[in-house]
């Protein structure tokens, strides 16, 4: 019942002006910052490891902004998934090298975990005339799972593929001309990861970007989404040249290095609430 009420609330929220939605997100984010101390500590540890030059006051300010942006992006799902399509189109602005997404050439969209990632996939599926394939992890709550699945695949004939679908199915979809929306910059544990530097700290990182690019003979096009006062800017960057190579570890390290540059542009919009350094190299102490 609570889940159904929550989904109903998001339907109602979709009808409100965007400034009202963002104000609600700011209030809720500030509330979460005050009460969810365990996750607040995760953000602080991440920032301390990645930005050791920052003062405690700087880390505290960015941590507060992270909670606000995460909450605002969550409430934005209301209009992303339920508002009139014309409203969605006006609020999501695609910029940059849009030609990289044209045609049927095998293409992987590298979409790092900025808070606007749901707006990114919505913008692409609505405004790019090409089917988008995403790797989908089912939610534990059936009602929420159905809501998320429908919302993220609202436009453009987007096709969700389970993480358990297998490499062959994913590569076949890529070679068939689908855009693969890939988000490999998280810690999925030691079994699926290799250790490469992230802001100079060894981080368990999934090497799927390099492997899928090689198996699918695909180009990699980064797409960076920024939350703005009027909605979101979805910036399509130039395809990477000379990628992938025969060195998966070097490719994955390069991915993290380039990601750092985009994070430096808007550090409070990265998903620092994730335990990025939960998996540690053998013999190294836990950090959370």
């Amino acid at each position: 019942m609570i889940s159904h009420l929550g989904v109903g609330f998001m339907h109602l929220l979709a009808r409100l002006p965007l400034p009202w939605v963002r104000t609600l997100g700011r209030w809720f984010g500030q509330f979460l910052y005050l009460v969810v101390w365990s996750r607040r500590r995760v953000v602080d540890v991440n920032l301390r490891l990645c930005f050791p030059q920052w003062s405690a006051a700087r880390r505290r300010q960015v941590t507060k902004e992270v909670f606000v942006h995460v909450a605002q992006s969550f409430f934005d799902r209301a209009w992303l998934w339920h508002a009139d399509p014309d409203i969605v189109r006006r609020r999501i602005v695609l910029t940059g090298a849009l030609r990289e997404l044209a045609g049927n050439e095998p293409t992987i969209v590298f979409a790092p975990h900025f808070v606007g990632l749901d707006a990114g996939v919505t913008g692409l599926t609505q405004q790019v005339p090409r089917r988008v394939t995403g790797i989908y992890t089912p939610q534990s709550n059936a009602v929420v799972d159905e809501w998320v699945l429908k919302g993220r695949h609202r436009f453009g004939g987007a096709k969700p593929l389970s993480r358990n679908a297998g490499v062959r199915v994913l590569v076949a979809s890529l070679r068939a001309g689908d855009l693969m929306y890939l988000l490999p910059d998280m810690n999925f544990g030691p079994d699926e990861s290799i250790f490469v530097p992230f802001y100079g700290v060894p981080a368990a990182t999934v090497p799927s970007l390099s492997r899928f690019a090689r198996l699918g003979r695909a180009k990699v096009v980064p797409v960076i989404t920024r939350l703005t006062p009027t909605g979101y800017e979805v910036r399509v960057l130039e395809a990477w040249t000379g990628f992938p190579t025969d060195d998966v570890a070097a490719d994955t390290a390069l991915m993290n290095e380039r990601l750092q540059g985009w994070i430096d542009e808007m550090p409070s919009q990265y998903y620092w609430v994730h335990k990025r350094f939960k998996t540690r190299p053998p013999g190294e102490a836990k950090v959370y």
Side-chain angles (χ1 to χ4, degrees):
M1 178 62 71
I2 293 176
S3 298
H4 284 291
L5 289 174
V7 172
F9 172 74
M10 296 297 272
H11 276 273
L12 293 174
L13 198 63
R15 303 179 181 183
L16 296 180
L18 181 59
W20 293 21
V21 178
R22 290 288 173 79
T23 298
L24 178 62
R26 175 169 294 279
W27 290 346
F28 191 60
Q30 292 170 343
F31 170 75
L32 292 177
Y33 172 82
L34 293 174
V35 301
V36 189
W37 62 268
S38 59
R39 197 56 57 171
R40 185 173 71 230
R41 182 175 181 276
V42 168
V43 178
D44 183 73
V45 169
N46 286 337
L47 295 179
R48 177 164 45 83
L49 290 172
C50 294
F51 302 97
Q53 73 277 17
W54 285 6
S55 66
R58 170 68 169 152
R59 288 200 312 274
R60 186 164 53 251
Q61 179 59 38
V62 172
T63 300
K64 291 178 181 178
E65 293 172 1
V66 167
F67 274 83
V68 167
H69 288 142
V70 168
Q72 288 178 326
S73 65
F74 175 78
F75 285 130
D76 279 347
R77 291 180 180 180
W79 58 266
L80 285 170
W81 296 352
H82 303 298
D84 184 275
D86 288 340
I87 292 177
V88 177
R89 184 179 292 272
R90 287 198 301 270
R91 292 178 181 175
I92 300 179
V93 179
L94 269 60
T95 65
L98 300 180
R99 67 185 183 282
E100 296 284 9
L101 304 180
N104 294 308
E105 180 181 358
T107 302
I108 297 174
V109 172
F110 171 37
H113 276 81
F114 290 98
V115 297
L117 64 90
D118 275 308
V121 72
T122 297
L124 293 184
T125 55
Q126 185 188 36
Q127 301 182 37
V128 174
R130 192 170 174 184
R131 189 166 69 173
V132 178
T133 296
I135 301 176
Y136 180 69
T137 301
Q139 307 293 310
S140 57
N141 182 296
V143 175
V144 174
D145 185 67
E146 181 181 7
W147 176 62
V148 171
L149 194 60
K150 287 183 178 179
R152 286 182 175 164
H153 303 91
R154 178 185 183 187
F155 299 112
K159 182 175 67 175
L161 293 175
S162 169
R163 191 171 294 278
N164 300 322
V167 173
R168 287 186 179 180
V169 175
L170 295 168
V171 172
S173 174
L174 183 60
R175 290 184 178 179
D178 292 352
L179 290 174
M180 177 182 284
Y181 198 78
L182 198 62
L183 305 90
D185 58 318
M186 296 194 84
N187 186 340
F188 289 107
D191 294 338
E192 300 183 37
S193 305
I194 59 176
F195 285 100
V196 293
F198 181 56
Y199 281 101
V201 182
T205 307
V206 181
S208 56
L209 186 64
S210 174
R211 288 175 176 168
F212 277 125
R214 186 172 62 257
L215 291 171
R217 297 188 289 274
K219 65 180 180 180
V220 172
V221 177
V223 172
I224 310 302
T225 306
R226 181 192 294 267
L227 185 150
T228 68
T230 56
Y232 291 90
E233 177 196 10
V234 180
R235 180 162 50 110
V236 181
L237 304 183
E238 300 285 344
W240 288 351
T241 58
F243 189 98
T245 68
D246 293 330
D247 190 334
V248 174
D251 288 347
T252 308
L254 178 64
M255 179 192 80
N256 277 355
E257 180 183 345
R258 291 180 174 174
L259 172 57
Q260 290 170 204
W262 303 321
I263 293 173
D264 289 343
E265 296 175 5
M266 46 179 180
S268 65
Q269 291 202 28
Y270 193 61
Y271 201 69
W272 294 112
V273 294
H274 170 64
K275 292 184 178 180
R276 187 65 184 85
F277 304 104
K278 181 178 180 179
T279 303
R280 304 292 292 150
E284 292 202 14
K286 297 180 180 180
V287 296
Y288 299 114

